[in-house]
Structures are given as C-alpha cells and as structure tokens.
Amino acid sequence: MLKKITNIGDCGITCDFGDEVNKSTNKEVIKLFNFIQQSVNTRKLKGILNYTPSYNKLIINFELGQIKSQEIIEFIKSSDYSKINLPENKKIVEIPICYDEEFALDIKRLETKTKLNFKEIVSKHLETNFFVYMIGFVPGQPFLGDLNKSLYHDRLDTPRIKINKGCVGIVEKFCTIYTFESPGGWNIIGRTPFELFNINKKDTSILSPGDTVKFKSISKKEFGSFKNEQLL
Amino acid sequence: MNNYFKVLRPGINSTFQDLGRFGLQHLGIVASGCMDQLTFCISNKLVGNKISEGALEFAYQGPLIELMGETVLVAISGKVNFNIIKKNGEIIKGKPNESFLISNGEKIDILSTINSVYGYFSIFGGFKIEEVKGSVSTLVKAKIGPNNGDKLKVGDKFFFNKPHQVDKTNKIQFDFDKDNIIRVMKGLQIHYFSKKSQEDFFSKEYKVTKLTDRMGMRLEGQKIENTVNKNIKSEGITKGSIQVPGDGKPIILLSDHPTIGGYPKIANVITADYDKLVQKTPGTIIKFKLVDLPVAEKAFREYVRKF
C-alpha cells in the first residue's frame, strides 16, 4: 500500500510504501512504476524525466518548467492504478554461474559463518528463484532476493577495492551481480560470464525490476568459452 | 573536406554533454548531462545552435585543440582564460561569452577556468557525435556516450557539422551568482539527525573539499550527528541530494551520482541554485539556507528567465 508521497527538493517526489523490505511491498512499488512508465509512454503524464523503483519506494523526477509536484501527486492519487491490469514483468532469466574456487572468494568465510559446506551453499543458491527487487547503483546491477535464510551474512568489514565485472555476491537476504568493475563489500561466491548490461543493445539491461532469476552452474571451462550471443 | 579539431592536450576532464539522458534511471543509468546548465546553454546560444545541442564541457584546465578544416564559428562560455594561437604563432587573448571565427591550422588553448570549475565549448552547427539512447552526454565511469564514453585523449579528433554559411558573431553578458548561499529544502531523512545538527547544518559554514567531481561534492565542517540509523534501505537518488554517511560529513550528489543509495539525506539543493553550487572550487566556504517548495518554485521561475 502506498503510505505517503513526499517532495524531494523541487523536482522530485518519493512514493513511500512502508518500511518492510519484502516481495509483496516491492510488487506494489513495481506496479506503480509500471503505471507511471505507461502513463509517460502514452503521454498521459508529461514532463517526467526519470522514475526509479527501489525496495519500498518509487522516486519520480520531473522537469520543473513542465509540471509541478502537486500535479503528479494528484495524478497518482486520482488513479486506481493497483486495479489496472498492466502487463506484469514475468520474464524468467537463467544466468550461468561458475562457483570455481578462483571465483568464490568468500566461500571459506561463509562456510564458517553458516556451518554449511561448499556443496550445500551452492545447492541452496541454485535452488532459489530470485526476484529482481531493483536495478541500479551502477548501470544494470540487479538486487535479487530472497536468499535461503541459512545463507544470510553481513557485508565485509573492509570492502574490496576492486571486484571484477560478473562477480556474484550475497549480503543479508540479497544477491547481486556486479555489472562493472567496482569496489564492493559483498561476499563473493562465484562469477558469471553473462553480460547483463550493454548500452549498445536495444534491451540495454537484460533484467528489469519484477523479473525472476535462476542460476545455472557451469564449469570453469564453460566459463572460459562462453559467448553472450548464445543466450540472446 | 573533413572538418575536425585535433586534440593536442585533452585537459583534466573534457567530455561531451547535453541536457542529459532521461528515462533510464530504473536500469541504473543516471541522467548525467552538463553540470552548469545556464553556462552550457549560453555557449550554444552564442553560436546560434538550439540550446540543447551537445557541447564540450571542460573542468579547471581545458583542452588545446587545432582546427583541421574550413573556418567555423565557435564560442567558449563561462569564466575562462584562453588563447587563440594563429598559424604564424601569434597569440591572441580569447574572450569568453563571445563567439569568434577560427580558421584552418589555428589553435584554441583553454588554459583554465577562473574562480570556477566548468566551461563549455560550442560550434555553430554542432559536433558530429554519436547519440547513445537519445543523448550525447558522457558517463565516463560506465563508458556511456560519444567518444566511446570517455574523456578526451591526446590525438582524438572530433568532427563537426559544417553549416552552409558562417553565422554572425554574438556576445552575451552574463555573470555567475557571486554569493555563496545555497538554498536547500528539507531532506527525506532530516529527522535522522539531532536537532542541534539540523540547526548546525542550516547555520554553520561548510568548505568544498578536493574530493569533488561530477559524481559528488564532499564537504568539511561541523559534523552531523545521526541519532536514528546510519543506513537506510537503499532508495532512488535525486541530483542535488545531500547525504550524510556514518562519518557525519555531508556529500552533495551531483550529475553523475549513483542511481540508488543507502545513506540518509538531510537536504536537497533547489534547482535554481544547482549551477551556482557546481561552480564552487575546492576551498570555497558555502552556507545552506533552508527554504520551502513555493520559494524554490519562485526561484526557479526567476532562474529560467536567464536562459
């Protein structure tokens, strides 16, 4: 349920769906996101620059010369978007992952914390149908959930300076895939050769908020010979 | 004949920009775009382009470029110290905010911005640069935009669209806002900070540090005390948001900000004061003034009259 709408500066608003981070809250966020996106595409709503869903909020940015926050707030409040039948994002994407020890940098740490062995950790990761909560921080980076409870773990105390593109990490109930080389504090359990983001492709980001992700284990040899075109 | 400029020295951070790449923040792609919109638009106006045409943005020290091609009308906007180097080696002091003609073999040496950070270089007819998802803005950290999403490098050539006729030169009188007061509205998590810290933030002085770039501006000053939680559930970010991480030192998120973030935000810079803010050099003392939405909207109406 949409709890409140607040201004952020003079050219943004935030639609707040409450403090809980779970799939049902996030699905509400995505519903409003889809509605806004559709309203922008069909020109029912003008002057919108960006709409950014996260776990429990949707931020909308607009051009102050074109529209005022009050008009957008009224537009949202007057539409019964939760009942509108929008095409749902139901894409299921299979992502190859190699758990070879060269890539599973934090597996020892996880084994100690979870009291599970390597094989058990991998099988719990593989059996999960991950929900795409949001995409962002950097282009195309997905935030997936929920992990099997037994794999919950904190962030590294000292983040790594460099994490390679394609590394798969877990923290708390979430899993992420680094789409660019960057610093980061997540527990790295494997790496994918699959290119999730390519600005030059029509579908810039393979994943969208609301999609489902399933990982598929591949060998180091398959990792080395992987061609992205195979999947697209 | 191909018309292009050859880069003999790239400058510190010279990138092509326009007004931004919109509608993709839900995929993690920030709008980017020129830092100082008014100065950017003026460079285009000076050469008779539409104000949204792509231009070259430079910071502190700009590039040294040589024209290979036919005479063309160009302009440099901002507070900029630059020279035009004639074919015979003669050096002429350039005048910013005034368009001028440049001929084959002549060089433009953009030496520095003066008490400011960003300046812009425009060509009548526009640059021949590739649009990526509807924009020629460059986001260097994700390699998105023209010139392979990168800053200018030595040896780069940038081509331009040769117009049929050479337009008249033009001059625009404008100056940056001189004061150091940045107006802000209350941030989404202002209640995360102690009453005293909120008062400090809106009354004490803050210094712009060297840790400032197109992504963000780190400030030094009275530490802001968080009494609720040093992290929030990651949420979408808006340009001009002022976040306060655990160390209590505010960071203003600028045009190339990450699309989501997990630090509480104390305030947001109003649109009308964003250009003024980004031109503040490291070491500058700024003060924040709290305003409400009607004041911000009125300030915006005054701001757009300058365009």
Side-chain angles (χ1 to χ4, degrees), chain B residues 90-102:
Chain B
E90 187 195 348
I91 295 173
I92 298 169
K93 197 163 167 50
K95 289 180 186 159
N97 311 314
E98 202 173 315
S99 50
F100 56 96
L101 291 168
I102 179 110

Side-chain angles (χ1 to χ4, degrees), chain A:
Chain A
M1 268 282 288
L2 179 53
K3 298 259 168 26
K4 63 176 179 205
I5 305 180
T6 320
N7 288 301
I8 354 172
D10 52 22
C11 56
I13 56 167
T14 176
C15 305
D16 189 343
F17 288 78
D19 291 333
E20 294 296 311
V21 171
N22 56 42
K23 279 184 220 172
S24 70
T25 303
N26 190 245
K27 279 181 176 164
E28 291 293 313
V29 176
I30 291 169
K31 212 175 243 183
L32 180 58
F33 159 71
N34 284 337
F35 172 68
I36 296 294
Q37 190 174 40
Q38 196 200 49
S39 304
V40 170
N41 291 341
T42 56
R43 298 179 180 275
K44 288 192 183 89
L45 197 54
K46 286 180 186 161
I48 305 297
L49 297 177
N50 267 313
Y51 21 81
T52 317
S54 61
Y55 298 122
N56 56 342
K57 281 178 183 155
L58 178 71
I59 309 276
I60 300 172
N61 292 103
F62 52 92
E63 209 177 329
L64 196 47
Q66 297 273 321
I67 193 166
K68 282 188 182 177
S69 65
Q70 202 47 44
E71 294 171 63
I72 305 171
I73 294 169
E74 275 158 25
F75 179 82
I76 293 170
K77 283 187 173 163
S78 67
S79 37
D80 203 356
Y81 65 90
S82 60
K83 291 203 181 103
I84 295 171
N85 205 6
L86 287 165
E88 272 189 61
N89 296 318
K90 274 189 176 163
K91 199 164 44 159
I92 300 172
V93 182
E94 193 181 69
I95 295 180
I97 177 171
C98 177
Y99 296 101
D100 187 272
E101 59 181 26
E102 184 194 331
F103 302 135
L105 306 174
D106 294 307
I107 208 78
K108 288 272 167 327
R109 206 174 111 82
L110 281 162
E111 281 176 331
T112 314
K113 160 83 201 246
T114 61
K115 299 190 174 65
L116 297 169
N117 64 36
F118 179 74
K119 251 187 142 171
E120 290 165 325
I121 293 172
V122 166
S123 84
K124 284 188 192 298
H125 189 246
L126 281 173
E127 73 195 16
T128 306
N129 287 312
F130 286 100
F131 176 76
V132 181
Y133 276 93
M134 59 184 184
I135 308 261
F137 189 63
V138 297
Q141 183 169 352
F143 290 83
L144 316 166
D146 297 352
L147 274 176
N148 184 297
K149 268 206 171 84
S150 60
L151 297 183
Y152 286 16
H153 198 12
D154 299 331
R155 225 166 258 276
L156 303 184
D157 288 333
T158 310
R160 288 193 172 84
I161 290 164
K162 183 188 137 183
I163 291 180
N164 288 321
K165 175 178 169 176
C167 281
V168 177
I170 60 176
V171 156
E172 290 157 14
K173 67 177 178 183
F174 302 108
C175 177
T176 197
I177 304 166
Y178 287 87
T179 47
F180 286 86
E181 184 186 299
S182 69
W186 292 50
N187 303 282
I188 305 299
I189 58 164
R191 191 174 174 189
T192 180
F194 186 40
E195 194 170 61
L196 285 171
F197 179 85
N198 186 333
I199 190 70
N200 297 315
K201 294 222 164 98
K202 187 174 166 280
D203 290 319
T204 298
S205 171
I206 302 289
L207 300 173
S208 299
D211 284 349
T212 300
V213 166
K214 187 99 175 127
F215 287 96
K216 181 192 165 211
S217 178
I218 58 168
S219 68
K220 209 172 161 185
K221 200 173 159 222
E222 288 168 305
F223 181 96
S225 60
F226 185 83
K227 301 247 185 323
N228 271 292
E229 289 71 26
Q230 290 168 351
L231 284 160
L232 300 177

Side-chain angles (χ1 to χ4, degrees), chain B residues 115 179-180 206-209 219 279-286:
Chain B
N115 296 326
D179 69 85
N180 290 343
Y206 283 88
K207 190 164 92 180
V208 177
T209 71
L219 303 175
Q279 292 288 8
K280 300 296 177 204
T281 53
T284 307
I285 302 293
I286 57 174

